[in-house]
Amino acid sequence: MQRTHRVVAEVAVGTGPEAVAVDAKARRAYVACSRANAVVAVDLDSCATLWRADVGREPIPVILDLPARRLFTADARSDTVTVLDARSGERLARIDVGEGAYPAGLGHDPVLRRVFCGNTAAGTITAIDADRLTVVGTVPAEVGAGSIAVDSRRGRGYCANFLAGSLTVFDTAALRPLDRIAVGEGPCKAVVNPVTDHLYVAGSLHSKVLRLSLETGELLDELAVEQAPVGICCSPDGSRLYVCNRGAGTVSALEAGSGLETHRILVGNGPGDCAIDAVTGRLLVSNAGSDTLTLVDSPWLPGPEAPAAHPAEGRALPAFALPDARTGAVRTSREWAEKKYVINFFASW
């Protein structure tokens, strides 16, 4: 079955948009603009910007804590996590994660009410109380700690250590490391799919997405995509996976179960991450190289089947002769050879 998609809008949001979070019910998207040191709110229906809020320097990820309607950014060059009111953009807190930590990744456990920050230079994970907005502990990881995925059902977190080529598995309640999983160079983003019970890891240096079992931690397979995959999201029903190929300016659409790439979506330059609007099914992509947010309409829906070609298509016009309706004289197709003409077929019954 052929698949199709349609780009709905390209919204200018500011310099270096690296990440996007969606509140489908409130009809808003939130974009972290790393070079503008800001978060921008976008109306999902009108595609208009609603507000812009200053945060720390170089906000790379942004996550939405839906129960409290709060936004969290990890501000890499300020060594802070900034907290905003998602409704107004008002700054609620700025949380220090340690001098020289370079926080570049975030994870969220809405059940435990915790936000986890991956500190790239420090090789640690900072745990933050999502309600009190205070640091509650630190977990040792490895150099390059960044993106964090949370398996709330098992109480486990997975921190992608970009430089160490590994995942740090940790207990999200006790805040202690449980395991180390080697995944090769350059793991950039980790995402949990609770429907398939899989963990997906974007291997940006080898243009692959690794699929692991959440139950055992076993590497199941490697899914080939285009150049430098850095961002991933899953569809709400868990059936599809979308991978941002930073080096190619595309998003690969994969079947989550088989890993089969069904098609590729051309977006802006340097796509950093993506998210799904669960109400409309639209895919949102933050393009760090184009300073835009791309909205794509229903990229996983089946498209129309290509119509079958007629047997006469592409062949020379057959010779024919017909009487002229006005004069009765016989006219042949040879009279119009190598000429432009219009034939009007009319039938009456």
Side-chain angles (χ1 to χ4, degrees):
M1 176 70 75
Q2 184 185 21
R3 295 189 181 275
T4 187
H5 64 271
R6 178 175 65 93
V7 173
V8 176
E10 293 278 356
V11 184
V13 290
T15 313
E18 287 286 358
V20 56
V22 172
D23 185 343
K25 187 174 180 180
R27 310 305 303 136
R28 288 187 178 186
Y30 305 97
V31 186
C33 298
S34 63
R35 302 303 177 192
N37 303 327
V39 171
V40 175
V42 176
D43 186 287
L44 288 173
D45 297 318
S46 67
C47 298
T49 56
L50 299 172
W51 52 254
R52 178 187 183 279
D54 292 332
V55 293
R57 290 186 297 146
E58 199 174 347
I60 296 175
V62 60
I63 62 171
L64 172 65
D65 177 35
L66 196 55
R69 297 290 299 281
R70 290 172 176 168
L71 297 165
F72 292 76
T73 64
D75 313 316
R77 295 193 181 275
S78 294
D79 298 326
T80 57
V81 170
T82 298
V83 188
L84 303 175
D85 186 309
R87 288 156 289 209
S88 64
E90 177 189 1
R91 185 190 299 172
L92 302 176
R94 180 167 285 178
I95 303 167
D96 184 13
V97 296
E99 185 177 356
Y102 199 86
L106 290 174
H108 181 221
D109 190 331
V111 178
L112 283 181
R113 308 296 303 130
R114 286 181 175 176
V115 171
F116 301 99
C117 179
N119 304 311
T120 298
T124 59
I125 303 161
T126 300
I128 298 169
D129 187 301
D131 297 312
R132 297 181 180 180
L133 306 182
T134 56
V135 174
V136 295
T138 303
V139 182
E142 293 188 283
V143 64
S147 171
I148 298 171
V150 175
D151 178 6
S152 294
R153 186 159 67 92
R154 296 179 178 88
R156 296 177 189 164
Y158 297 82
C159 179
N161 305 308
F162 184 86
L163 297 176
S166 66
L167 297 175
T168 296
V169 187
F170 64 98
D171 187 309
T172 54
L175 299 180
R176 60 183 178 86
L178 299 173
D179 196 5
R180 179 189 189 272
I181 303 174
V183 292
E185 297 177 311
C188 202
K189 180 71 182 285
V191 171
V192 163
N193 186 338
V195 178
T196 61
D197 210 31
H198 291 157
L199 175 73
Y200 299 95
V201 181
S204 60
L205 299 185
H206 298 287
S207 300
K208 293 180 180 179
V209 173
L210 284 65
R211 179 166 50 180
L212 297 91
S213 166
L214 284 172
E215 178 64 33
T216 65
E218 176 190 1
L219 175 63
L220 301 176
D221 52 14
E222 298 179 354
L223 315 176
V225 291
E226 279 200 290
Q227 187 178 356
V230 296
I232 310 177
C233 75
C234 297
S235 61
D237 65 359
S239 66
R240 300 216 161 259
L241 188 69
Y242 298 94
V243 183
C244 295
N245 304 307
R246 194 180 191 94
T250 63
V251 173
S252 293
L254 310 177
E255 292 181 349
S258 66
L260 176 68
E261 182 181 83
T262 57
H263 67 293
R264 293 175 185 174
I265 304 166
L266 184 65
V267 291
N269 296 328
D273 212 351
C274 54
I276 294 285
D277 173 6
V279 171
T280 63
R282 288 176 176 173
L283 175 72
L284 286 75
V285 184
S286 51
N287 304 299
S290 297
D291 301 337
T292 59
L293 179 70
T294 300
L295 283 78
V296 185
D297 205 10
S298 300
W300 55 86
L301 292 181
E305 293 285 357
H310 190 277
E313 185 176 330
R315 299 178 63 185
L317 179 69
F320 63 87
L322 294 170
D324 189 301
R326 291 179 298 174
T327 66
V330 175
R331 312 292 297 270
T332 72
S333 57
R334 286 176 294 179
E335 296 180 47
W336 300 289
E338 299 181 0
K339 297 179 182 179
K340 294 180 180 179
Y341 51 88
V342 176
I343 300 176
N344 180 21
F345 291 95
F346 178 80
S348 177
W349 56 84

